[in-house]
Amino acid sequence: MQAIGKETMRFDPSLPDAESVMASLLYIATLYIKKPTYELAKQALRLAETLTAPEYADSDLICRVSRRMCVQWTLLVNEYEQSALHTSLMRECR
């Protein structure tokens, strides 16, 4: 069995080009703006990670923007997870 690299795993054949990934990410981001949820933040992060796949590296701009979006969505997802952990710990202390 051949090992698949992380970059290859990020490519999504249902999103054939960077424009498709970006359109999907913008749609999810718009939904997130209307009603922020952990699930939407995770979906946006997955799409941002997908956009970093070499198959979508049409330009240096796409590469830079995709990395920045990964950082931003990762920070947001981490905030949700830390908040959930804090809430859980507070409940246990009661």
Side-chain angles (χ1 to χ4, degrees):
M1 180 176 230
Q2 184 179 8
I4 299 175
K6 189 174 182 181
E7 288 79 18
T8 305
M9 291 173 52
R10 281 185 264 174
F11 178 74
D12 184 346
S14 69
L15 299 167
D17 53 32
E19 187 175 312
S20 300
V21 179
M22 187 64 78
S24 297
L25 180 55
L26 291 175
Y27 175 73
I28 296 298
T30 300
L31 293 177
Y32 183 85
I33 289 169
K34 289 181 178 182
K35 185 175 181 183
T37 66
Y38 176 59
E39 292 303 319
L40 286 173
K42 287 194 315 185
Q43 182 62 34
L45 176 56
R46 282 192 292 270
L47 286 165
E49 289 171 343
T50 297
L51 193 57
T52 66
E55 294 87 348
Y56 301 118
D58 296 339
S59 70
D60 187 49
L61 177 63
I62 289 173
C63 294
R64 287 193 321 263
V65 168
S66 64
R67 286 191 301 268
R68 288 180 189 159
M69 286 191 298
C70 278
V71 169
Q72 294 301 317
W73 285 108
T74 297
L75 291 171
L76 197 55
V77 167
N78 287 344
E79 283 183 30
Y80 274 106
E81 291 171 349
Q82 289 175 358
S83 177
L85 178 61
H86 178 74
T87 301
S88 175
L89 290 173
M90 293 301 289
R91 286 184 186 147
E92 287 179 14
C93 290
R94 290 182 187 168

